[in-house]
Amino acid sequence: MSRISTHSELRYTVESPSAFFFSVVAVPFNSKKVVDERLDIVPHGPIRREPFGPTGHEIVRVLAEPGPLSLVYDAIVTVSAYVPEVAPAGETNFADLPVDVLPFLLPSRFCQSDLLSRVAAKEFDGLAPGFERITGVCNWVYDHLDYVPGSTGSSTTAVDVLVQGAGVCRDYAHLAIALCRALGVPARYLSGYAVDLDPPDFHGFFEAYLDGEWYLFDATRMAPIDGLVRIGVGRDAGDVPFASFVGWATLDEMVVSTIDLDRTEPDDGTTTAAISTA
Amino acid sequence: MSRISTHSELRYTVESPSAFFFSVVAVPFNSKKVVDERLDIVPHGPIRREPFGPTGHEIVRVLAEPGPLSLVYDAIVTVSAYVPEVAPAGETNFADLPVDVLPFLLPSRFCQSDLLSRVAAKEFDGLAPGFERITGVCNWVYDHLDYVPGSTGSSTTAVDVLVQGAGVCRDYAHLAIALCRALGVPARYLSGYAVDLDPPDFHGFFEAYLDGEWYLFDATRMAPIDGLVRIGVGRDAGDVPFASFVGWATLDEMVVSTIDLDRTEPDDGTTTAAISTA
Amino acid sequence: MSRISTHSELRYTVESPSAFFFSVVAVPFNSKKVVDERLDIVPHGPIRREPFGPTGHEIVRVLAEPGPLSLVYDAIVTVSAYVPEVAPAGETNFADLPVDVLPFLLPSRFCQSDLLSRVAAKEFDGLAPGFERITGVCNWVYDHLDYVPGSTGSSTTAVDVLVQGAGVCRDYAHLAIALCRALGVPARYLSGYAVDLDPPDFHGFFEAYLDGEWYLFDATRMAPIDGLVRIGVGRDAGDVPFASFVGWATLDEMVVSTIDLDRTEPDDGTTTAAISTA
Amino acid sequence: MSRISTHSELRYTVESPSAFFFSVVAVPFNSKKVVDERLDIVPHGPIRREPFGPTGHEIVRVLAEPGPLSLVYDAIVTVSAYVPEVAPAGETNFADLPVDVLPFLLPSRFCQSDLLSRVAAKEFDGLAPGFERITGVCNWVYDHLDYVPGSTGSSTTAVDVLVQGAGVCRDYAHLAIALCRALGVPARYLSGYAVDLDPPDFHGFFEAYLDGEWYLFDATRMAPIDGLVRIGVGRDAGDVPFASFVGWATLDEMVVSTIDLDRTEPDDGTTTAAISTA
């Protein structure tokens, strides 16, 4: 059992009446529980917290008048029963996929799996289907990309990343997701918090659907797999921005920090492990 | 009140055990009711009909052994109370969009609305928000594209279509959807049957979310707006293929026909009208 | 007769032995003569000035050791006999194009004319072939793009610019060139200096081949057409970078200024005129 | 010494007066000499043979009236002194590249070398610069692509091919050329005839500039390296189509055959060798 503390802080100058949707709330996930949390939005205006989709993702809607707007969110998340095993999970037959899993087998805006079937087959057909093959995808993505902050933007796709050979966490996840789907394995994007991220920021990782469950993967090797806290789930990062708004506003400051309150030594961050989801 | 008869017929040679998902079943839609239907799959193997998503879309799963496989689907759909009005519907504020509508505001695989914000603003900012503006989008798409069978393929996107200036029904819908989303109007893709389509085929059209309801549009002007029968709904055509399978099979023949049983004169097909959905 | 003064200044910190190619030298062009010039490179190392191609474009090669490197280039250019007429030039038949003009009819890295034939035909088939049609292309590009510094980068193409609706001078030229070639009119990219550019910088414009001669156009309307001084000519901007190098160096400062020494009032910059080239 | 016989035959139905440019004439190349040739165009109309560029590439211009048009070209080419050595050639320093070689270091329409610098560095930085490294590029391209007729079209680029993992001869050459340029090695596209090609067709291959000379490579391994006969040279395939025309005509039939008149056994086609050019 360990405890993770997450903190995010967003400060805007709002220039005209604007409607914000924030996705920063930590949600229960695998063996993780949110035992305490606090959301402060100043000024106190019309605010609505609302579940989005069946996965617990929570959206915070804020109507803001011109002037400063700040959102501060803190949570304490407990992690229990983590087993960093090499799971023997196999792949689920296409015929047996539940209908709510099907959308995650299809190509999406940033994960054009339909374009990568040959590359996926050539690189990964030799691996055992299931956990081993998806681990192979993670290792391949890790080897083929350089982690270069600023090398990509909000319209960069998995195909762009494959070609340019560089990206950040969302790009690693996008390329891995696209390859999974090209192999016939449903995969979905997770936004969240991650212990020990350097520099501190929101993080992006992914899940693959194996043997009837969603398994967690992170091809970046930038955080311990049990240090990932989930905010939202989508087909790709386009579905789960930490904030979006209509109106006119400027983000002046963003602070994110995620700390393992019980860890005494830093993780070496060299594994691309996975954990079975509840 | 009129009645539409839809017919689709798919014949495959299956080379190895294959799992098929078919989306050919007509579903209730606006003032349309499915009053009779018949689904014949030969040989009779393990078949499962299953709702997909909250919109009534129905998936037919078939496990097929090597040999011939045929699917024939017939339905009679009644259309009542159709009012081809010019609806005065306005747009819904971002802040008020229901959570289940939000995904249709986001870019998708074939509708990269994030790339088209300037084009959309430049072309349509002068039109009144709502029904008039979306009608303007349809007219613009109709004017800017040539309908050229074979000019596009399964990986062609709205951006590709904008650049090349040609496409088929799915491309018209994709470009219109991308422009709607770029304007802040949720839009979704519908696959279906369409009366008087020439040549006969499955059809693709779209809905835009205005004033709290989904309104139907078809930028191709190839069928009367009350002659559209819905099969499925998705973010774009990638979500609602009429058939997909894993295995090894060849489509030998496809026949689609859609007839208005009560119409005596052909529609002139020159309107891009819309109807409020139930 | 008027005189233009051009000035460019590039300051690098060289980290490892590097080989530079500079394209900053003004060349004779239409009715323009270079009457005085001075090139200062410090430190004085191995330098070679060399003509590149048949158009007078001059390359300066510099081998630089670690340490500071600066290049300062000044020229005085006289402009005579400028007639800002609306030229009646027509288009040259494909069969009669000289072989050295043919490459400028073909698509290039940043001007994918092969993808734009429908758009070009739809927009410009109604205009009289020749000068009028190319002027129409310039006007269309001017209307469809917003001039937004920073909106594009070194890998942005004409197609990207068409889709995103924004760019800078090189993008305006690329889109216009691509459309010309799609119409069957050879077009080439010119890098150079431009009077009254705000902010001051190197400039990009283009020439179209009409009636056996190259005619100058600038779709940006940012400088008077007789205030354009030529440095280099290529298929697109990729062919004529102001500087390229192999090694390791950082550009610390770039200053460009171009002044009409004899003009007393500023040009209003609202024409997209053209001048017949010598 | 051996002799190669090349034959090409193009038959059109011309619908309106059309201007054709043909590039089918074999030219001297390395140790190859054209010892006999015959060009028959029926009907005999205005025809012009003209050199294009400094490499000997010859263009045949034909003005055709409505009706049938046929072009038949036959040549006998001798090959002497072929040494299929593994050449020890190194790479030429950027600073020392002749100006007429520089264009082949730049990105072109179908070879976007500017986008592939990381992939090129990651894959080939470990190889010895020069002949060994370019051979490594050829082997990598051969391994990463499937040769699939019909998988690509006239607008397919090197980047598209890298992503989709399949192509034909022009695509193999494009990807190899793009990678060479990304490594700082000038490379150019050659169209031509190739002995033993199956199915018979025109062929595309490439040259890389090493140690002051152009070396021939073919990443497809579909023909013996000394069985390649040159027609034209360009930055990529877009520069050297075997035929282009303005007007209205249909290609009814194309026959190409290339035979080694002196070979008794077929080549096993498994080498990606190279020969120094004269």
Side-chain angles (χ1 to χ4, degrees):
Chain A
M1 165 78 83
S2 69
R3 291 169 308 142
I4 295 172
S5 151
T6 75
H7 170 80
S8 58
E9 202 174 325
L10 301 168
R11 299 187 185 282
Y12 291 86
T13 300
V14 178
E15 307 283 353
S16 72
S18 300
F20 287 79
F21 284 30
F22 293 106
S23 291
V24 297
V25 173
V27 301
F29 172 49
N30 297 348
S31 66
K32 299 194 181 74
K33 292 205 179 85
V34 180
V35 295
D36 193 16
E37 65 157 22
R38 174 175 181 140
L39 175 67
D40 270 319
I41 295 173
V42 177
H44 301 287
I47 293 172
R48 191 148 42 116
R49 291 180 65 163
E50 201 171 354
F52 177 61
T55 59
H57 177 188
E58 190 172 321
I59 284 182
V60 179
R61 301 191 195 215
V62 178
L63 290 177
E65 294 300 312
L69 171 71
S70 74
L71 174 152
V72 180
Y73 176 76
D74 286 284
I76 301 292
V77 177
T78 59
V79 186
S80 64
Y82 174 68
V83 186
E85 60 188 323
V86 173
E91 297 177 4
T92 306
N93 285 335
F94 179 61
D96 299 326
L97 290 174
V99 286
D100 61 327
V101 170
L102 286 178
F104 300 105
L105 191 57
L106 297 170
S108 62
R109 170 68 182 97
F110 300 110
C111 302
Q112 312 107 309
S113 46
D114 53 317
L115 302 180
L116 298 179
S117 50
R118 274 179 194 278
V119 168
K122 197 174 287 261
E123 298 290 344
F124 307 112
D125 264 4
L127 299 180
F131 190 89
E132 180 178 329
R133 189 147 73 158
I134 306 310
T135 301
V137 167
C138 289
N139 292 338
W140 189 89
V141 168
Y142 181 82
D143 287 341
H144 278 67
L145 299 186
D146 294 333
Y147 197 95
V148 182
S151 60
T152 57
S154 62
S155 65
T156 305
T157 69
V159 161
D160 295 334
V161 166
L162 175 65
V163 170
Q164 76 174 41
V168 296
C169 62
R170 74 175 242 146
D171 306 301
Y172 279 66
H174 283 164
L175 182 52
I177 289 168
L179 291 168
C180 288
R181 293 179 189 166
L183 291 167
V185 176
R188 60 188 193 182
Y189 185 91
L190 273 64
S191 66
Y193 298 94
V195 165
D196 290 348
L197 212 57
D198 181 25
D201 201 345
F202 290 108
H203 196 45
F205 32 99
F206 76 104
E207 289 180 324
Y209 190 78
L210 299 171
D211 259 359
E213 292 193 77
W214 288 104
Y215 281 70
L216 178 63
F217 293 89
D218 181 356
T220 68
R221 301 186 192 175
M222 293 182 72
I225 203 78
D226 62 339
L228 303 178
V229 174
R230 184 160 88 181
I231 293 172
V233 174
R235 290 202 187 176
D236 57 36
D239 284 4
V240 284
F242 66 86
S244 57
F245 65 90
V246 169
W248 182 17
T250 311
L251 177 61
D252 300 318
E253 191 183 11
M254 182 174 97
V255 178
V256 180
S257 75
T258 311
I259 298 165
D260 185 331
L261 298 172
D262 303 304
R263 182 171 298 155
T264 50
E265 308 174 66
D267 183 87
D268 64 357
T270 54
T271 54
T272 309
I275 182 171
S276 166
T277 72
Chain B
M1 163 81 80
S2 69
R3 292 168 308 142
I4 296 171
S5 151
T6 75
H7 170 80
S8 57
E9 202 175 322
L10 301 167
R11 300 187 185 282
Y12 292 86
T13 300
V14 179
E15 308 283 355
S16 72
S18 301
F20 287 78
F21 284 31
F22 293 106
S23 291
V24 296
V25 173
V27 301
F29 171 50
N30 298 347
S31 66
K32 299 193 179 76
K33 292 206 178 85
V34 180
V35 294
D36 193 14
E37 66 155 23
R38 174 177 181 138
L39 175 67
D40 271 320
I41 295 172
V42 177
H44 301 286
I47 292 173
R48 190 149 43 116
R49 292 180 63 163
E50 200 172 355
F52 176 61
T55 59
H57 177 189
E58 189 173 321
I59 285 181
V60 180
R61 301 190 196 216
V62 178
L63 290 176
E65 294 301 311
L69 172 71
S70 73
L71 174 152
V72 180
Y73 176 76
D74 285 286
I76 302 292
V77 177
T78 60
V79 185
S80 63
Y82 174 67
V83 188
E85 59 188 323
V86 173
E91 297 177 2
T92 306
N93 285 334
F94 180 62
D96 299 327
L97 291 174
V99 287
D100 60 327
V101 170
L102 286 178
F104 300 105
L105 191 56
L106 297 170
S108 62
R109 171 69 181 96
F110 299 109
C111 303
Q112 312 106 311
S113 47
D114 53 316
L115 301 180
L116 297 179
S117 50
R118 274 179 194 277
V119 168
K122 197 174 290 259
E123 298 291 343
F124 308 111
D125 265 3
L127 299 180
F131 190 88
E132 181 178 329
R133 188 148 73 160
I134 305 310
T135 301
V137 167
C138 288
N139 291 339
W140 190 91
V141 168
Y142 181 82
D143 287 340
H144 278 68
L145 300 186
D146 294 334
Y147 197 94
V148 182
S151 60
T152 57
S154 63
S155 66
T156 304
T157 68
V159 161
D160 295 334
V161 166
L162 174 65
V163 170
Q164 78 174 39
V168 296
C169 61
R170 74 175 243 147
D171 306 301
Y172 279 66
H174 283 164
L175 182 51
I177 290 169
L179 291 168
C180 288
R181 293 179 188 165
L183 291 167
V185 176
R188 61 189 192 181
Y189 185 92
L190 272 65
S191 65
Y193 297 94
V195 163
D196 291 347
L197 211 58
D198 180 26
D201 201 345
F202 290 108
H203 196 45
F205 31 100
F206 76 103
E207 290 181 323
Y209 190 79
L210 299 172
D211 259 359
E213 294 193 77
W214 288 104
Y215 281 70
L216 177 63
F217 294 88
D218 181 356
T220 68
R221 302 185 191 176
M222 293 183 73
I225 203 78
D226 62 339
L228 304 177
V229 175
R230 185 161 87 181
I231 293 171
V233 174
R235 289 202 186 177
D236 57 36
D239 284 6
V240 284
F242 66 86
S244 58
F245 64 91
V246 168
W248 182 16
T250 310
L251 177 61
D252 300 318
E253 191 184 11
M254 182 174 96
V255 177
V256 180
S257 75
T258 311
I259 299 165
D260 185 330
L261 298 173
D262 302 304
R263 182 171 297 158
T264 50
E265 308 173 66
D267 185 87
D268 63 357
T270 54
T271 54
T272 308
I275 180 171
S276 165
T277 72
Chain C
M1 164 79 82
S2 69
R3 292 168 310 142
I4 295 171
S5 152
T6 75
H7 170 81
S8 58
E9 205 175 322
L10 301 168
R11 300 188 185 281
Y12 292 85
T13 300
V14 178
E15 307 284 353
S16 72
S18 301
F20 287 78
F21 283 32
F22 294 106
S23 290
V24 297
V25 173
V27 301
F29 172 51
N30 298 348
S31 66
K32 298 192 180 77
K33 291 206 179 87
V34 180
V35 295
D36 194 15
E37 65 155 26
R38 174 174 181 141
L39 175 66
D40 270 319
I41 295 172
V42 177
H44 302 286
I47 293 171
R48 191 148 44 114
R49 293 180 63 163
E50 201 171 353
F52 176 61
T55 59
H57 177 189
E58 190 173 321
I59 284 182
V60 180
R61 302 191 194 216
V62 177
L63 290 176
E65 293 301 311
L69 171 72
S70 73
L71 173 152
V72 179
Y73 176 76
D74 286 284
I76 301 293
V77 177
T78 61
V79 186
S80 63
Y82 173 68
V83 187
E85 60 189 321
V86 174
E91 296 177 4
T92 305
N93 286 333
F94 179 63
D96 300 326
L97 291 174
V99 287
D100 61 328
V101 170
L102 286 179
F104 300 104
L105 191 56
L106 297 170
S108 63
R109 171 68 182 99
F110 299 109
C111 303
Q112 312 107 310
S113 47
D114 53 318
L115 302 180
L116 298 178
S117 50
R118 274 179 195 276
V119 168
K122 196 174 290 260
E123 298 290 343
F124 308 111
D125 264 4
L127 300 180
F131 190 88
E132 181 179 328
R133 188 146 75 157
I134 306 310
T135 302
V137 168
C138 289
N139 291 338
W140 190 89
V141 168
Y142 181 82
D143 287 340
H144 277 69
L145 300 186
D146 294 333
Y147 196 95
V148 182
S151 60
T152 56
S154 63
S155 65
T156 305
T157 69
V159 161
D160 295 333
V161 166
L162 175 65
V163 170
Q164 77 173 42
V168 297
C169 61
R170 73 175 241 148
D171 305 302
Y172 279 65
H174 283 165
L175 182 52
I177 289 168
L179 291 168
C180 288
R181 293 179 190 165
L183 291 167
V185 176
R188 60 188 192 182
Y189 185 92
L190 273 65
S191 65
Y193 297 95
V195 164
D196 291 345
L197 212 57
D198 179 25
D201 200 345
F202 290 108
H203 196 45
F205 32 100
F206 76 103
E207 289 181 324
Y209 190 80
L210 299 171
D211 260 359
E213 293 194 79
W214 289 104
Y215 281 71
L216 178 62
F217 293 88
D218 181 356
T220 68
R221 302 185 191 173
M222 293 183 72
I225 202 78
D226 63 337
L228 303 178
V229 174
R230 184 160 87 181
I231 293 172
V233 173
R235 288 200 186 178
D236 56 37
D239 284 5
V240 284
F242 67 84
S244 58
F245 66 89
V246 168
W248 181 18
T250 310
L251 177 60
D252 300 318
E253 191 183 12
M254 182 174 95
V255 178
V256 179
S257 75
T258 311
I259 298 165
D260 185 331
L261 298 173
D262 302 304
R263 181 171 299 157
T264 50
E265 308 172 67
D267 184 89
D268 65 357
T270 55
T271 54
T272 309
I275 181 171
S276 165
T277 71
Chain D
M1 162 81 80
S2 68
R3 292 168 309 141
I4 296 172
S5 152
T6 75
H7 171 81
S8 58
E9 204 175 323
L10 301 167
R11 300 188 185 282
Y12 292 85
T13 300
V14 178
E15 308 283 353
S16 73
S18 301
F20 287 78
F21 284 31
F22 293 106
S23 290
V24 297
V25 173
V27 301
F29 172 51
N30 298 349
S31 65
K32 300 192 179 76
K33 292 206 178 85
V34 180
V35 295
D36 194 14
E37 66 156 25
R38 175 175 180 140
L39 175 67
D40 270 321
I41 294 172
V42 178
H44 302 288
I47 292 172
R48 190 150 42 117
R49 293 180 63 162
E50 200 172 354
F52 176 62
T55 58
H57 177 188
E58 190 172 320
I59 285 182
V60 180
R61 302 190 195 216
V62 178
L63 290 177
E65 293 301 312
L69 171 72
S70 74
L71 174 152
V72 180
Y73 176 76
D74 286 283
I76 301 292
V77 177
T78 61
V79 186
S80 63
Y82 174 67
V83 188
E85 59 189 322
V86 173
E91 298 178 3
T92 306
N93 286 333
F94 180 63
D96 299 327
L97 290 174
V99 287
D100 61 327
V101 171
L102 286 178
F104 300 104
L105 191 56
L106 297 170
S108 62
R109 171 67 182 99
F110 300 109
C111 303
Q112 312 106 310
S113 47
D114 52 317
L115 301 180
L116 298 179
S117 50
R118 274 180 194 276
V119 167
K122 197 174 289 261
E123 298 291 342
F124 308 112
D125 265 4
L127 299 180
F131 189 89
E132 180 178 330
R133 189 147 74 158
I134 305 311
T135 301
V137 167
C138 289
N139 291 339
W140 189 90
V141 168
Y142 181 83
D143 287 340
H144 278 68
L145 300 186
D146 294 333
Y147 196 95
V148 182
S151 60
T152 57
S154 63
S155 65
T156 305
T157 69
V159 161
D160 295 333
V161 165
L162 175 65
V163 170
Q164 77 174 42
V168 297
C169 61
R170 76 175 237 147
D171 306 300
Y172 279 66
H174 283 165
L175 181 52
I177 289 169
L179 290 168
C180 288
R181 293 180 189 165
L183 291 167
V185 176
R188 61 189 192 182
Y189 185 91
L190 273 65
S191 65
Y193 298 94
V195 165
D196 291 346
L197 212 58
D198 180 25
D201 199 345
F202 291 107
H203 196 46
F205 32 99
F206 77 103
E207 289 181 324
Y209 190 79
L210 299 172
D211 260 359
E213 292 193 79
W214 289 104
Y215 280 71
L216 178 62
F217 293 88
D218 182 356
T220 68
R221 301 185 191 173
M222 293 183 72
I225 204 78
D226 62 339
L228 304 177
V229 175
R230 184 160 89 182
I231 293 172
V233 174
R235 288 200 186 180
D236 56 37
D239 284 4
V240 284
F242 66 85
S244 57
F245 65 91
V246 168
W248 183 17
T250 310
L251 177 60
D252 300 318
E253 191 183 10
M254 183 175 95
V255 178
V256 180
S257 76
T258 311
I259 298 164
D260 185 330
L261 299 173
D262 303 304
R263 183 171 298 157
T264 50
E265 309 172 66
D267 185 88
D268 64 357
T270 54
T271 54
T272 309
I275 181 171
S276 165
T277 71

